[in-house]
Amino acid sequence: MTSTSDFTHTGLPMRVLFGAGRRHELPTEVERLKLSRVMIVCTPPQRDAGLTIAAALGELAHSVYPFAVMHVPREVADAAVEYAETNAVDGVIAVGGGSAVGLAKAIALRTSLPSIAVPTTYAGSEMTPIWGLTEGNEKTTGRDWRVLPRTVIYDPELTVTLPPTLSATSGVNAMAHAAEALYAPDASPIITMMAVESVRALNRALPAIVADPVSVVARAEALYGAWLAGSCLGATTMSLHHKLCHILGGTFDLAHAEVHTTVLPYVLAYNLDAAPVARALLAEALGGEDPATELYGLEQQVGVAASLRDLGMPESGIDTVVEMATANPYANPRAVTADGVRALVSAAFFGRHPAETLSVR
């Protein structure tokens, strides 16, 4: 963890509206940004939500574009950019989760159009300048301030209809951002504080959501944790966990949040002995001695513990992941070796208890 007397912190230049009912302020935000012809981006299942937003915007809305999909395939991004340019829209509103936000970012990257995000999940990607595109079964990511939404509206009432299981995987996905921020090489005391609070909030919120899916209080706490986690993701360099999830999602077309949920306990088991400060902070936030075991238990409690095999990854893909994960060096508290990654991915593939991963030390 960075010394409190020597660190760098870059604040994100964006506006956040947080609270139940804040979605009703969207027309005011659109006008504040001097936009008058916006396209509303969402996934096909979120089309009705997009139409509701369009109706609330009235003449400020040009159209609903319900074609966002996981991992932002390049051809999908190309089609959306062409649509935006052909129809001379002057802004983009993303309604939904990481797929919608990701497509809005792809449009902004190519056109520099301003965007507003209205999240309906807990992924947290709306708080980052990180974009991603998938082409030829390989996902490429980068950072560009043009893709950062100008405004994010967090309204917990919009997440009440998100099924409990999807809420849980989305929340653990956010937790992964906070966890890796705790051992990031460019972390700061500010990010550390936010990351710990994020894990603590999500650890409380996810069981509460599963117990009472319509609890706006629990939904608000999850959104709060996701906001903090996304801010951590946007301000630091992610490590082995995010590298593996990008490989798994892009190569095998696996569901994004589910992959993060499945892999995170194993990466923590792999990394935390080499990151003792992060280990202690996560142990406190999760309420137990071993963060990997505590997280694995949380996933079982909320009904989302799974294996990569359950998600549809072929066993033959383990070697592919090992090769891709070790091809380019990157920051990680523990050395990324072929034997280590193989043991980690194999444990996640078969759904073994994450403590078994420690045997590769």
Side-chain angles (χ1 to χ4, degrees):
M1 186 170 65
T2 308
S3 166
T4 55
S5 62
D6 182 14
F7 66 90
T8 299
H9 174 75
T10 301
L12 300 179
M14 66 195 314
R15 174 177 165 89
V16 174
L17 306 183
F18 191 102
R22 299 301 296 270
R23 66 188 181 279
H24 299 304
E25 299 175 43
L26 180 58
T28 301
E29 285 301 300
V30 171
E31 291 175 341
R32 189 183 68 84
L33 292 172
K34 296 181 171 56
L35 306 178
S36 61
R37 190 178 171 85
V38 299
M39 63 184 286
I40 298 154
V41 172
C42 59
T43 61
Q46 288 274 17
R47 183 173 182 272
D48 287 345
L51 290 171
T52 299
I53 293 292
L57 289 173
E59 293 183 353
L60 298 174
H62 169 267
S63 56
V64 174
Y65 191 85
F67 303 113
V69 295
M70 285 192 310
H71 309 305
V72 196
R74 181 171 290 279
E75 60 273 18
V76 172
D78 289 345
V81 169
E82 181 180 2
Y83 180 90
E85 292 177 338
T86 300
N87 289 278
V89 302
D90 60 3
V92 183
I93 297 176
V95 179
S99 298
V101 172
L103 184 56
K105 287 181 174 183
I107 296 169
L109 184 67
R110 295 260 293 276
T111 66
S112 297
L113 289 174
S115 69
I116 297 173
V118 185
T120 63
T121 72
Y122 309 119
S125 59
E126 65 279 350
M127 291 303 298
T128 81
I130 301 170
W131 57 266
L133 289 172
T134 301
E135 184 174 18
N137 293 327
E138 185 171 348
K139 188 169 186 176
T140 301
T141 61
R143 288 175 181 258
D144 193 304
W145 290 110
R146 288 177 295 173
V147 310
L148 191 70
R150 304 290 180 87
T151 300
V152 179
I153 299 178
Y154 287 113
D155 188 335
E157 293 177 347
L158 291 176
T159 70
V160 167
T161 58
L162 187 67
T165 298
L166 294 180
S167 299
T169 55
S170 181
V172 177
N173 179 15
M175 200 180 288
H177 311 329
E180 288 225 298
L182 288 171
Y183 50 67
D186 48 0
S188 73
I190 309 303
I191 292 301
T192 296
M193 177 175 62
M194 294 170 68
V196 171
E197 176 68 1
S198 170
V199 174
R200 187 182 292 118
L202 288 163
N203 189 45
R204 288 191 302 257
L206 299 184
I209 287 171
V210 171
D212 183 7
V214 298
S215 170
V216 175
V217 173
R219 296 285 184 174
E221 184 160 41
L223 270 182
Y224 168 66
W227 172 15
L228 295 175
S231 299
C232 294
L233 173 64
T236 59
T237 302
M238 295 288 104
S239 300
L240 178 61
H241 173 80
H242 284 73
K243 176 73 170 182
L244 288 175
C245 290
H246 287 159
I247 293 169
L248 289 163
T251 304
F252 305 110
D253 195 30
L254 305 182
H256 181 82
E258 286 81 351
V259 168
H260 277 271
T261 299
T262 300
V263 171
L264 184 58
Y266 301 98
V267 173
L268 294 183
Y270 184 90
N271 270 341
L272 289 184
D273 278 356
V277 173
R279 182 188 184 93
L281 292 170
L282 282 171
E284 184 275 328
L286 290 168
E289 295 184 2
D290 177 25
T293 297
E294 292 301 321
L295 180 59
Y296 187 72
L298 173 66
E299 292 181 4
Q300 291 181 313
Q301 178 186 355
V302 297
V304 296
S307 67
L308 291 175
R309 178 170 55 185
D310 294 336
L311 300 184
M313 174 185 166
E315 186 172 358
S316 60
I318 294 175
D319 287 339
T320 301
V321 175
V322 172
E323 181 180 353
M324 294 177 71
T326 55
N328 298 305
Y330 48 92
N332 195 64
R334 176 180 169 184
V336 178
T337 65
D339 287 345
V341 173
R342 180 172 286 104
L344 188 164
V345 176
S346 295
F349 179 82
F350 291 106
R352 301 174 184 137
H353 193 285
E356 292 186 27
T357 311
L358 296 175
S359 65
V360 302
R361 285 183 294 181

